[in-house]
Amino acid sequence: MIRRTTLLLVLAFFPVMVFGQLQEDKNRAGSTYSSIAFGEPVSLYSPSGAGMGLTGVSLYDPYAVNSANPGLWGVNSHTQGVLTADMHRLRVEDGAETGITNRIGINRFQLVLPIVRSQLGLSAGFLPVTRSSYSLRASGSFTPDFEEIDYTTMEAGAGGVNRAELGLGYRVSDHFSIGYSTNIYFASLNREHDLVFDSPRYQPLSYNEDFSGTGLGHRFGLFARTSGLFRENDESSFGISLLLPVEIDMDRSVTGFRNVSGGVQEVDLLPSSGLREGQIDLPLEINLGLTYNPSRYVSLSAEYFRQQWSNASYTFNTTEEQFLVDQSKSGVGAQFHPYRGDSGGFFSSFKYSLGAGYDTGYLKIAGERVETLMVNGGIGILSQRSASSIDIGFQLGFRGMSAQNLIKETVWGLTLSINLAEMMFIPPMFQ
């Protein structure tokens, strides 16, 4: 049996025969790197920050949900809801082959209700943590009895880790607010393995690995703002969010269809000594941001984000666990709000965003970090009849490298956030 560790070593060190996807299944595939451990981390952008490529941890928007900072949930006077979808297209190169993968899906849902207007808010949401979506193929040969036999191993994976979140935000004063949320984590991963030979002497082999589990986590947030710091009528704000480490207890099963008593049945292929129970440890996460508004028309933001993936664990495969390293992201962005003026022009009715960021990556393979450079742009479409809006974010990024036996990915992304506010939902409980 060709085990998954062997396939990963082929991916890392011998990419000549490895493809980032199967062409016949490319619409379900994502990043090749999401095949490692429990998938690639999902960047959590608030609708107002997506166009800058920032989480928005220090960005206040009275009409859009802030997913990054629980400290902002108690500041708003409007009921808010958001549904986000994303689309990614990846061009994959491994030094010998190229290919295209596409992925489209719902990203998250979140609702914030002001219990006490502009002072106490309740948030509930369902958000992604990691995502695993890929197809891999590797080819090779061996020579038993002086006859060369070619074989192909294929693996397709899907799933990831998601969290359901419930929390409160409280405005302590005009300049300071805090927040907390409890999170229930749901992990579900599926790996489909196939081994095919070009000789009738060897039967093909297929089996499925399934992993599932739950865990409990905690998140804290703080938001502070002041005005007139550098000039009259300016505004400065600071945000920080802290997500504590999470332990997820996991169950593993290995099944396949085999001939049993003349019929085909699904059977348990994991031996009694096999690893059926394990654990996923997700790391500490800290997110810092500064936003400066020199006027009502312009916002300038900078962020720093860090996850300690070197402290994460994946007990089902310690080889994959060794690829994980601490990840740092830094980014800057700007927004222009011409609609806040008196101009009645068509192009003055939108919000414009632009930003760039650098990600050191959470993986280190063959002595090289899988780094990402990303540029972002966005446009906000405002409703003329309510406080609702639509935010569209665009991404262009470059991850990894085809040299040093790694995979290079060129990423095109589109994020769509539908923001519903004010009369679209129920009014506050207290005025």
Side-chain angles (χ1 to χ4, degrees), residues 17-136:
M17 301 305 295
V18 178
F19 301 82
Q21 71 291 317
L22 297 176
Q23 290 297 323
E24 65 271 19
D25 196 25
K26 66 181 183 180
N27 285 325
R28 70 171 286 180
S31 172
T32 305
Y33 294 110
S34 72
S35 65
I36 298 176
F38 33 76
E40 62 176 326
V42 177
S43 298
L44 184 62
Y45 301 122
S46 294
S48 297
M52 298 185 289
L54 304 178
T55 65
V57 68
S58 63
L59 197 62
Y60 170 64
D61 188 329
Y63 305 118
V65 167
N66 190 292
S67 303
N69 191 349
L72 278 160
W73 296 339
V75 176
N76 297 318
S77 59
H78 295 81
T79 299
Q80 303 168 340
V82 64
L83 180 67
T84 302
D86 62 4
M87 178 184 71
H88 285 88
R89 182 177 179 86
L90 282 74
R91 184 177 188 270
V92 183
E93 304 174 57
D94 66 1
E97 301 288 341
T98 62
I100 300 293
T101 69
N102 301 290
R103 185 185 69 239
I104 302 175
I106 300 297
N107 191 283
R108 66 182 177 273
F109 169 78
Q110 191 170 2
L111 179 66
V112 177
L113 303 172
I115 299 175
V116 179
R117 186 183 295 273
S118 300
Q119 186 172 21
L120 180 64
L122 173 69
S123 173
F126 191 80
L127 309 98
V129 179
T130 70
R131 177 184 287 136
S132 181
S133 179
Y134 65 92
S135 294
L136 303 175

Side-chain angles (χ1 to χ4, degrees), residues 289-355:
L290 289 170
T291 295
Y292 178 62
N293 301 317
S295 72
R296 61 189 300 218
Y297 302 105
V298 178
S299 299
L300 306 174
S301 296
E303 288 186 0
Y304 176 77
F305 178 89
R306 184 173 179 83
Q307 289 179 307
Q308 295 181 332
W309 287 105
S310 62
N311 295 332
S313 68
Y314 182 62
T315 58
F316 296 106
N317 194 315
T318 55
T319 300
E320 296 179 16
E321 185 180 302
Q322 294 172 9
F323 294 143
L324 302 175
V325 293
D326 291 345
Q327 179 184 26
S328 296
K329 300 180 186 179
S330 55
V332 294
Q335 286 187 338
F336 180 47
H337 307 263
Y339 59 89
R340 292 175 177 173
D342 297 328
S343 174
F346 174 77
F347 293 102
S348 299
S349 303
F350 305 99
K351 174 182 67 179
Y352 303 94
S353 303
L354 188 66

Side-chain angles (χ1 to χ4, degrees), residues 161 231 233 282 300 415:
V161 181
R231 56 187 294 182
N233 297 324
L282 300 179
L300 306 174
T415 301

Side-chain angles (χ1 to χ4, degrees), residues 225-237 291-296 298:
R225 61 180 173 178
T226 187
S227 59
L229 187 61
F230 299 107
R231 56 187 294 182
E232 186 178 1
N233 297 324
D234 73 355
E235 184 173 279
S236 304
S237 58
T291 295
Y292 178 62
N293 301 317
S295 72
R296 61 189 300 218
V298 178

